Amino acid sequence: MLDYLATQPLLTLVLILALGLALGKIRILGISLGAAAVLFVALGLSTLNPDLQLPPLLYQLGLALFVYAIGLEAGGDFFAQFKSRGWKLNVFLALLLVFLSGVAIVVVRALGLDHEIGAGMFAGSLTSTPGMAAMVNMLNSSDPAQSSQPVVGYSLAYPGAVIGSIVVAAVGAKLLKVNHHRDAKSEGMILDPLMWEAVRLRPGIDGTVGDLRDITGQQIIASRVIHGDTDHQLALSEHPLEEGMILVLNGTAEALEAAIDILGEKVHVTLDSNFLRYTRVTVSNKAVVGRTIEELNTASKGFLIVRARRGDRDEVPLPTDVVHYSDRLRVVTTHDRLPEVRKFLGDSERSLADVDLLPFFIGLFLGLFIGIIPIPLPGGNVLTLGFGGGPIVAGLVLGALERTSSVRWQIPYHANRTISTLGLSLFLAGVGTKAGVGFRDALTDPSSFKVIGAGLIISLLNAVISAAICMPLLKLKWDEAMGVAAGMTTNPAVISYINGQSGTELATRGYATVYPTAMIGKIIACQVVLILLL
């Protein structure tokens, strides 16, 4: 059977993907490998039959798709966070990466490890798939016979990297008696449910509806102006505030209470749908995607956006918030304008499924071009960002831009996740079959335990140092510090476990803030480590 599969690469590819993704769903102690299990299925099959190989172009394309999609998704948040607190975390991460690179070089030489396997161990200790790919690419051009060795070291160190990070996160939370919910709430990561209240304005409140946030200092938005019992109007931003006016406000209970204390007195009203209609509309119209709510000027089209549901969380939108594909917006409008509102925003699942891939591949081409630009190093060496680093740089920039004139770089959330998972799976299947011979030899070599141990040391150092520095110096809570450590690994299994353990998204904030820098930095660091070891 294995001999037959060696002659059928397409059949082999699909089998590896199916078995790997199925294995990745199995949870042991709350941990699952996800798409990473594809690597171990590919390794296992190629270890049994070294002739079972997949073309190099396959893993190159897969990795490029994966990192470019990640860059598109993370770009906006990365640059937004970078301006405030993000730069501090990223400087810390860069220094930590330099330190861990030095540790890796010392450990490899002290233990007498094969240099190519040792370099792969470093990539595996931080689960840097693109970094390992960059080393494979370097060796392909200089020493093809050794190009599979980094994959062996990576595969041996990878499990310990995942387990080590998770053990530190779990044990540390127990020892420090971390209150995950309280920490997340104090950091503004847990929002109270949104609700509405009506307020009758007291004398002396001057300005317009658009000034309510500045007047109250609260994150609220007005949806209706009510005169008497029957006159319900949209609360347009230019509407002047008057004594006795009744406004319907949206926000959290705490924000509404504070705002009403300033504005006047709470009153009971009935939001009769005969006057105005509340409804959810999903954004699918490419003409509005990438524009701010202020730019859309929805009031001129007869509706207001009073809530935005992104992911699993409702938020009161700001005028500067950018509208994305798949956003679920709660709008207020009249009955007769509702069809126009739906048409303007899209509200079409079919449109979301018909993804325009032309901008995606234009951006991917730009990323691949960036990846081949040589970066000179002292001693006559050069490194490149490669087909892993170039696309993520392009993805980050284009993801932050959202759109350039009529070109919309973003793609719907679900499409992005599908492409990134497919790309990662293709890469792991291709590179896994490449390392079969070397992995089989490593399994029978006692020195492999040195590789596993060295990788575990580096993984534990990453998590422990992240907590030891980020908590006292950068004032992070435990979960966010562990999110930074997980961001260094760029491993979804690690952050998934931490989120499951904490029940909050606080770790995700640290993870997302440093993820792009970690992804790019490890690609460069892995190549530098390999060059210094050779």
Side-chain angles (χ1 to χ4, degrees), residues 438-504:
F439 192 71
R440 182 172 60 183
D441 294 340
L443 290 177
T444 59
D445 186 350
S447 66
S448 295
F449 291 104
K450 295 181 180 180
V451 178
I452 295 171
L456 183 59
I457 289 171
I458 295 172
S459 301
L460 293 174
L461 280 174
N462 168 53
V464 171
I465 293 174
S466 293
I469 301 296
C470 290
M471 293 181 70
L473 296 184
L474 301 179
K475 307 303 181 185
L476 300 191
K477 304 296 186 183
W478 172 262
D479 287 336
E480 189 167 11
M482 288 298 95
V484 171
M488 173 68 96
T489 69
T490 59
N491 191 300
V494 177
I495 192 63
S496 176
Y497 173 81
I498 297 172
N499 284 340
Q501 178 195 46
S502 66
T504 75

Side-chain angles (χ1 to χ4, degrees), residues 289-344:
V289 170
R291 300 189 183 279
T292 65
I293 292 176
E294 188 174 40
E295 288 175 331
L296 294 179
N297 190 17
T298 60
S300 68
K301 300 169 180 63
F303 73 100
L304 296 176
I305 299 171
V306 295
R307 299 185 190 182
R309 189 167 182 82
R310 290 168 179 148
D312 295 326
R313 188 167 80 162
D314 275 318
E315 298 177 356
V316 174
L318 296 171
T320 54
D321 283 351
V322 175
V323 175
H324 297 109
Y325 280 116
S326 304
D327 278 355
R328 288 162 290 169
L329 306 179
R330 189 170 188 181
V331 302
V332 184
T333 188
T334 58
H335 280 277
D336 60 319
R337 299 298 292 269
L338 185 56
E340 297 176 36
V341 173
R342 292 188 186 280
K343 182 178 180 180
F344 177 72

Side-chain angles (χ1 to χ4, degrees), residues 384-534:
T384 63
L385 292 178
F387 48 84
I392 196 173
V393 170
L396 286 171
V397 174
L398 297 179
L401 289 175
E402 302 274 354
R403 61 189 294 152
T404 305
S405 185
S406 61
V407 180
R408 296 155 191 85
W409 302 110
Q410 286 286 2
I411 60 176
Y413 174 79
H414 298 94
N416 183 292
R417 299 294 293 177
T418 300
I419 290 173
S420 64
T421 300
L422 176 62
L424 178 60
S425 300
L426 290 174
F427 169 76
L428 293 174
V431 79
T433 59
K434 183 179 178 64
V437 176
F439 192 71
R440 182 172 60 183
D441 294 340
L443 290 177
T444 59
D445 186 350
S447 66
S448 295
F449 291 104
K450 295 181 180 180
V451 178
I452 295 171
L456 183 59
I457 289 171
I458 295 172
S459 301
L460 293 174
L461 280 174
N462 168 53
V464 171
I465 293 174
S466 293
I469 301 296
C470 290
M471 293 181 70
L473 296 184
L474 301 179
K475 307 303 181 185
L476 300 191
K477 304 296 186 183
W478 172 262
D479 287 336
E480 189 167 11
M482 288 298 95
V484 171
M488 173 68 96
T489 69
T490 59
N491 191 300
V494 177
I495 192 63
S496 176
Y497 173 81
I498 297 172
N499 284 340
Q501 178 195 46
S502 66
T504 75
E505 293 293 318
L506 182 54
T508 301
R509 186 170 74 176
Y511 180 84
T513 302
V514 301
Y515 184 103
T517 299
M519 180 78 80
I520 297 168
K522 289 190 295 183
I523 292 170
I524 296 172
C526 286
Q527 294 180 83
V528 171
V529 167
L530 179 61
I531 290 171
L532 294 177
L533 285 173
L534 294 180

Side-chain angles (χ1 to χ4, degrees), residues 185 188-198 213 216-222 248-261 266 306-308 313-317 330:
K185 191 172 181 64
M189 296 300 295
I190 296 179
L191 299 180
D192 293 328
L194 296 185
M195 54 188 297
W196 65 268
E197 293 284 1
R213 284 194 183 94
T216 64
Q218 300 297 321
Q219 186 74 3
I220 58 170
I221 189 169
V248 175
L249 306 177
N250 288 261
T252 64
E254 183 179 351
L256 290 174
E257 182 179 355
I260 291 173
D261 284 344
K266 185 187 301 185
V306 295
R307 299 185 190 182
R313 188 167 80 162
D314 275 318
E315 298 177 356
V316 174
R330 189 170 188 181

Side-chain angles (χ1 to χ4, degrees), residues 158-204:
Y158 183 99
V162 176
I163 294 170
S165 300
I166 288 173
V167 166
V168 172
V171 173
K174 291 290 185 182
L175 293 177
L176 297 177
K177 299 180 180 178
V178 174
N179 187 321
H180 305 290
H181 188 274
R182 184 183 62 199
D183 286 351
K185 191 172 181 64
S186 70
E187 291 293 313
M189 296 300 295
I190 296 179
L191 299 180
D192 293 328
L194 296 185
M195 54 188 297
W196 65 268
E197 293 284 1
V199 59
R200 190 190 306 276
L201 297 186
R202 64 164 53 104

Side-chain angles (χ1 to χ4, degrees), residues 114-177:
D114 177 270
H115 291 166
E116 289 82 2
I117 290 179
M121 173 277 297
F122 174 63
S125 69
L126 298 177
T127 68
S128 177
T129 304
M132 179 261 288
M135 290 188 288
V136 171
N137 194 47
M138 283 183 67
L139 291 171
N140 266 329
S141 59
S142 61
D143 189 2
Q146 296 296 312
S147 63
S148 66
Q149 294 299 83
V151 184
V152 175
Y154 176 91
S155 305
L156 291 171
Y158 183 99
V162 176
I163 294 170
S165 300
I166 288 173
V167 166
V168 172
V171 173
K174 291 290 185 182
L175 293 177
L176 297 177
K177 299 180 180 178

